Structures are given as C-alpha cells and as structure tokens.
Amino acid sequence: MPIAFKNTYARLPESFFEKAEPTPVIQPSLIALNHELATELGIDPGFLRSDEGLAILAGNSIPSGAEPLAMAYAGHQFGGFSPQLGDGRAILLGETGGKDIQLKGAGQTPFSRRGDGRSALGPVLREYLVSEAMHALGIPTTRALAAVLSGELVLREQPEKGGIFTRVASSHLRIGTAQYFAARGDTDSLKALVGYAIQRHDPEATDAFELFQSVIAKQARLVAQWMGVGFIHGVMNTDNMSLSGETIDYGPCAFMDRFNPAQKFSYIDQNGRYAYANQPGIAQWNLTRLAEALLPLFHDDQEKAVTMAKGELENFPDLFDSAYFKIFSKKIGLPENYDRELIQILLDLMATQKADFTLTFRGLANGPDAFLSNFGDQEPVRDWLARWNAAGNPDTTLMKTVNPAYIPRNHRIEEVIEAAKQGDFAPFHEIHSILREPYQDKDGFEKYQQTPSPDEVVCNTFCGT
C-alpha cells in the first residue's frame, strides 16, 4: 500500500466535522515535495511523484483508508467571537505515520461561507517556506509535505494562479475546537474532544485540567521561541492556536527586519492587537478562552473550577518569562547568567536605533565589528559590549546555534512569489535550500542575509483567502 491512511477524527461524534470531498482540478503539477518528511511518515517519495501520488496531493484521488472531512470549530477573531468557523478551504484526509495530512486549497466545504475553498499560489509558497524554516529553526510547527500548482485560476482582487498545499500536523485540534462545543453547551462532545486530545498529545494527562496545564506550558514555550527569532504570527485568533503546541496557520505572518516591539504585518490588524510584543499577552488571553470552554470539566463546583483555572492562568507569565530569558540568554552566549537587565538594554538599543533583529544577534556571535555595524550611534553600544564581556565568557559557538544567519525575509518571499507567478520556481527552490540550514553561513548567498532596501520593505502580508 503506497500510503497507510486511517482517520481517527472521523470516529468522533458527527458534531466534530462535516464530510467534504476535495474538488478535482484539471491539470495539476508538482512544485515541491518534501522527501525527508515523506520518508519520516513512511511514504515513498517516488510514489508521491508519480501520477497516482500527484492525484492525491491535488485532491483528484482519495487514497484507501482516507475519509475526507472538514473540521468544525469556533473562534475569537480579533477579539470578536464567531460561534461557527470550521475548515473553509482545508480538508483533512486522515493520518499516516501518526500525523494529520490535510489539503489546503482543495475546494469548498460546508464551512466555506461563500468562499471558493481554493488558495492562490502565493500563500501556498509562503506557508511551505515559512513552516519549513520554522522547523529548521527548531520551533514546533506544522510541516509542508507538498505544494501543487492547480493549473486553474482563482479570483481574488484579480485572477491568480491557484495552488494546493499538503500540510502535516500532530493534529489540527484548536482552542476554537473546544469553544465550538462550549458555545453549544455540548458537554458530551467536549468530553470526547478532551479524551481525543489526551490520546493524541498528552497520554500522561488524566483529565481536562491536566490537559489544560499541558497546553499552557506548551504555548508559553512556543511564543517565547517565536520572540527569539523575531517571528510575528500575525493572526493569533483562538482558532489559530493548536492544542498540540505547534505553530499553525501561516497567513499574514512575517519575521521582523528592524527590531520594533510594535511591529505588525497583518493588513487587517489595524490596531496592532497581534503585534510582536503583544503575543505573550494574547496567548494568555486565548488560554483564558480555553479555560472558559473547559470549565465544566474541571470541577462540578463552578467556583472551584474557576479558582483552578485562574491559578494556572496566573502561572503563564512566569512560564513565558522563564522560557523567554533562557532563549535570550543563549542568544547573547550567557546561558547560565540570565541577566535580564543586560538583555533588555540591548533590545532597547536595537529598538531605538532600528537595528536588524537577525543581523544584530548573528553579528554579536561574529565579533565586535560585525555587531557594531548594525548601529549608527555606537557609543552606548560599546558600553553595552563592555558590560556583556564583563558578565562572563560569552559562548560564541553556542550563539551560532541559536542565532540564525538566514530567515525567510519578507522581501525575499515576495520575490519568490512574483517569480512563481511568471512560471519561474528556481528562486523558490534556492531560498528553500538556504532555509533548510539556517545556522550555516554559505558563500555566495549573502543576499539572503541582506536587509531590504527602502523600496523592498514589506509592510503588510495577507492570508490569501
């Protein structure tokens, strides 16, 4: 059997999903296939490259054992609650190798809400590159198995080439999944969800409260890891936060160039709700919504349930701070020091002088000259360097393993997308090969480290629906 599929999600009550078949496309072609991931999943990459494999990746054929469906969930979007969202352009085929396999852009589902269920090519390429870059950076994330050119056009502001993305995840369970059942007073489905989530992600957990504790810890670490590479998710709605602790839904996401704690990229996020510095607070807010949904399962006495939830939520800032300062202590080569003031002074200097986030930390590992070149006013930076050197013996070898040389810079991603629209995928494959080894300097690829020129700066990114 080419792919050993099953779908345990389809065994859950009917309230969890709607059956949804992918809509076939006329002339699909393969853009990229993740050979390494396919092998990890127990899938023969050669099969996926065959006509039969391509038909599965394009949604033209349903493999044996798969049961296509669209998952039901709700969510707070920019603070406002939508009791029914669901997979509007994603179809879960099932699981193989213990991971979910989902097609994004495979056509309409019962949750599409007047949308076409398709994806433009740009968002497919962006998610492929950014999710795989996050994996290479060591950050929990959904993965990219394949990107397919649909051979059809999708209508957005203008007709664009269509694409289909094959996403791999530990699961696609979200905070919004719990909210969906809580909003309906469906405690039986909520219990089934908790049991399923424990089975998939936390077999050591014994009940809803222990699952909740685990999700809090995972999200605290995850957001700290985002902050450590200057990543901005862009749309931290509750339906975009996973119970597995993986980064999910790369819509208007981006990595910062110049360090700016108030940086945002989503065109929709006019008030900066999901700006870089707001991400820990939003994570805690979202986890509070999860607590509200699971409250009936924490304790029969609501007052006691609330007290239990509040106690855990109040731990979040300390969990986040601990993870955050461990990461940044390593970034400055002082893993045992945890000098919070030293870290904050550097970040303040970077913000004031608009220093590039990635180049500044990488430069610090490469020596004083490389570091100082990121600043215009060097006198206060030299003072910081003196204090840094006095703090211990900075481990530059460690620093080069946690401060990447390469990130998926916004202007380079846009170049890739524009070239692909013209049928040229060489830039996509080149940047992908660089991002697979983000901590290794490579001769001849300096352009991928360079900051954007003023006319290359990307201010807004879009989800592509």
Side-chain angles (χ1 to χ4, degrees):
M1 182 186 295
I3 306 179
F5 261 112
K6 63 178 180 178
N7 193 332
T8 59
Y9 201 83
R11 307 280 79 78
L12 290 166
E14 291 183 359
S15 55
F16 278 72
F17 59 88
E18 296 279 353
K19 292 183 178 179
E21 295 273 332
T23 304
V25 293
I26 297 172
Q27 195 172 9
S29 56
L30 189 64
I31 300 167
L33 176 67
N34 192 332
H35 285 240
E36 176 189 10
L37 179 57
T39 302
E40 284 178 23
L41 295 170
I43 305 172
D44 176 12
F47 167 74
L48 290 178
R49 286 194 169 277
S50 70
D51 289 344
E52 188 181 352
L54 176 60
I56 292 170
L57 298 173
N60 286 3
S61 173
I62 307 303
S64 175
E67 297 179 61
L69 59 85
M71 298 171 68
Y73 48 85
H76 275 87
Q77 299 188 303
F78 295 92
F81 185 63
S82 297
Q84 179 169 303
L85 296 170
D87 288 330
R89 61 167 180 153
I91 294 174
L92 178 68
L93 295 180
E95 302 128 56
T96 190
K99 304 284 188 179
D100 278 6
I101 309 293
Q102 185 192 66
L103 299 181
K104 290 186 70 176
Q108 286 185 319
T109 78
F111 300 113
S112 292
R113 303 183 305 280
R114 300 190 304 277
D116 61 9
R118 292 300 189 187
S119 177
L121 178 60
V124 167
L125 300 183
R126 178 184 295 277
E127 181 157 2
Y128 195 108
L129 291 174
V130 179
S131 63
E132 285 304 298
M134 290 287 269
H135 173 71
L137 289 165
I139 299 174
T141 179
T142 58
R143 301 287 306 277
L145 179 60
V148 168
L149 192 66
S150 70
E152 300 177 358
L153 295 177
V154 296
L155 186 62
R156 296 299 180 257
E157 291 185 350
Q158 57 190 15
E160 296 186 33
K161 290 181 177 179
I164 300 166
F165 177 73
T166 306
R167 180 162 70 186
V168 175
S170 293
S171 84
H172 287 82
L173 302 176
R174 309 154 186 267
I175 289 177
T177 316
Q179 290 182 292
Y180 181 81
F181 299 120
R184 287 157 178 74
D186 187 351
T187 306
D188 288 342
S189 292
L190 207 55
K191 288 177 180 176
L193 170 64
V194 166
Y196 185 71
I198 288 173
Q199 173 195 331
R200 291 289 298 266
H201 303 305
D202 291 288
E204 293 181 1
T206 60
D207 57 22
F209 187 66
E210 289 187 6
L211 174 69
F212 177 59
Q213 290 174 308
S214 175
V215 174
I216 287 177
K218 288 175 182 176
Q219 288 294 337
R221 287 194 299 269
L222 178 64
V223 177
Q225 288 177 285
W226 292 354
M227 307 287 273
V229 292
F231 177 75
I232 300 167
H233 184 279
V235 188
M236 286 178 68
N237 296 332
T238 56
D239 56 297
N240 291 341
M241 283 188 73
S242 71
L243 300 185
S244 69
E246 292 177 332
T247 313
I248 191 170
D249 287 328
Y250 292 91
C253 62
F255 286 74
M256 276 194 293
D257 295 307
R258 292 176 170 180
F259 180 60
N260 173 12
Q263 181 72 60
K264 66 180 182 65
F265 285 96
S266 171
Y267 179 76
I268 303 169
D269 192 7
Q270 297 295 323
N271 297 319
R273 176 182 174 87
Y274 299 139
Y276 173 82
N278 290 345
Q279 292 181 132
I282 289 296
Q284 187 178 22
W285 192 92
N286 287 348
L287 290 163
T288 304
R289 308 287 79 77
L290 177 61
E292 290 168 353
L294 296 179
L295 215 55
L297 307 187
F298 288 169
H299 201 282
D300 292 339
D301 183 324
Q302 185 174 9
E303 190 174 327
K304 286 184 179 178
V306 169
T307 301
M308 291 167 67
K310 285 180 67 176
E312 291 305 313
L313 290 164
E314 287 168 359
N315 287 336
F316 179 86
D318 286 342
L319 290 170
F320 170 79
D321 281 354
S322 175
Y324 176 88
F325 283 106
K326 279 181 183 176
I327 289 167
F328 276 85
S329 293
K330 289 180 181 178
K331 288 179 75 66
I332 64 170
L334 299 170
E336 306 303 326
N337 190 299
Y338 292 66
D339 189 332
R340 298 185 178 205
E341 185 181 15
L342 187 66
I343 292 165
Q344 192 57 54
I345 291 171
L346 174 57
L347 292 172
D348 290 343
L349 286 167
M350 290 166 60
T352 302
Q353 300 201 35
K354 299 180 179 179
D356 183 85
F357 185 90
T358 302
L359 292 184
T360 299
F361 283 105
R362 187 71 178 188
L364 186 62
N366 288 332
D369 290 343
F371 175 66
L372 289 166
S373 67
N374 294 285
F375 298 91
D377 180 7
Q378 294 188 353
E379 184 177 351
V381 186
R382 289 182 187 277
D383 290 342
W384 183 88
L385 269 178
R387 180 171 170 176
W388 174 66
N389 279 308
N393 295 307
D395 185 343
T396 55
T397 302
L398 170 67
M399 292 164 69
K400 288 183 179 179
T401 67
V402 296
N403 293 314
Y406 305 100
I407 56 167
R409 290 189 181 270
N410 310 319
H411 64 300
R412 296 301 179 203
I413 297 287
E414 291 302 319
E415 287 177 357
V416 163
I417 291 171
E418 288 307 311
K421 288 178 179 178
Q422 305 306 314
D424 180 8
F425 290 96
F428 168 87
H429 292 294
E430 181 171 274
I431 194 172
H432 179 235
S433 69
I434 296 297
L435 295 173
R436 283 169 62 95
E437 297 180 311
Y439 300 105
Q440 305 297 319
D441 287 302
K442 290 180 168 53
D443 292 335
F445 295 100
E446 290 78 13
K447 76 173 188 176
Y448 291 110
Q449 292 176 292
Q450 293 170 358
T451 58
S453 62
D455 63 329
E456 292 176 323
V457 172
V458 176
C459 296
N460 292 306
T461 51
F462 304 86
C463 67
T465 51

